[in-house]
Amino acid sequence: MTTPSDDAARPVRVWVVLPADPVLGQPEQEVVARLWRRRQTERGWVYLVGLPSYRNLEDGRVEAAEYRVWVRAPGHVRPVDGADYDQVPTEPLPPVSVVREVLGERRPSGWVLAKVREGRGPARGVLHAPDCEEAPQGAALLPMERALGVAENPGTRLCTLCGCAQELTPLLSGFDHIGDS
């Protein structure tokens, strides 16, 4: 994305680390860019930097431009000696909501199938939440409708360790039995 550099904010110089290109045999490189914003995320800091670039004009000419991109810090950004970063607009991590504090981290959405082969016969499997200790690593996430289809297979068990059975059984058998005692 090429954007003009007419923001009201005053950018600060920063070193941006460009990745190595093993195909061309080029090592990692550093270029001076302009730091426009900083944002703290749950996974660390990201910086909006403006890299020097060019753009083609409709009349065929080429002019200097700036390419803005969010990059991870500190892995892709280094300070320039003597630069003052106190004036850079900074967005701190938003406060944790009371709901998230009480309930904890949200479970990843979807379900995973651990295939189990027991001799001859149809394939069997166990359906797990993706964060279950027993779930296979790197297995494809199944959306709810697909997981319900897999769960209806008589050869599929629903894991009780991660709560898969407790969450999917009402959806499979309906909610009518809940009031029955």
Side-chain angles (χ1 to χ4, degrees):
M1 168 182 200
T2 306
T3 50
S5 305
D6 57 0
D7 280 35
R10 299 207 30 119
V12 179
R13 291 174 22 152
V14 67
W15 287 105
V16 174
V17 180
L18 300 178
D21 188 344
V23 175
L24 297 177
Q26 292 178 333
E28 199 174 75
Q29 297 177 26
E30 288 185 352
V31 296
V32 174
R34 301 189 314 166
L35 175 59
W36 290 95
R37 302 187 76 68
R38 298 183 286 195
R39 178 180 296 156
Q40 188 177 18
T41 70
E42 290 180 6
R43 295 176 52 199
W45 285 90
V46 291
Y47 286 20
L48 179 62
V49 297
L51 297 165
S53 182
Y54 293 99
R55 76 169 138 223
N56 296 320
L57 300 175
E58 289 182 18
D59 64 5
R61 292 182 301 129
V62 176
E63 73 176 5
E66 182 177 72
Y67 177 78
R68 291 191 189 173
V69 62
W70 288 96
V71 295
R72 294 232 166 264
H76 303 284
V77 181
R78 291 190 175 77
V80 169
D81 289 338
D84 179 15
Y85 297 100
D86 292 338
Q87 302 306 314
V88 176
T90 302
E91 301 169 27
L93 189 63
V96 177
S97 73
V98 174
V99 172
R100 187 173 231 174
E101 257 182 57
V102 172
L103 298 178
E105 288 297 314
R106 186 172 170 217
R107 165 176 276 160
S109 61
W111 305 95
V112 294
L113 179 64
K115 295 180 181 175
V116 180
R117 283 261 180 216
E118 296 175 358
R120 295 182 174 214
R124 299 191 168 289
V126 180
L127 206 54
H128 298 277
D131 59 350
C132 180
E133 292 177 10
E134 302 292 321
Q137 296 299 314
L141 282 176
L142 303 175
M144 180 63 77
E145 288 182 18
R146 177 78 178 107
L148 289 172
V150 169
E152 288 178 329
N153 181 332
T156 302
R157 284 188 314 108
L158 304 179
C159 179
T160 55
L161 292 175
C162 63
C164 179
Q166 293 85 343
E167 290 184 44
L168 293 184
T169 299
L171 298 174
L172 291 168
S173 57
F175 293 93
D176 296 335
H177 73 286
I178 292 176
D180 301 342
S181 301

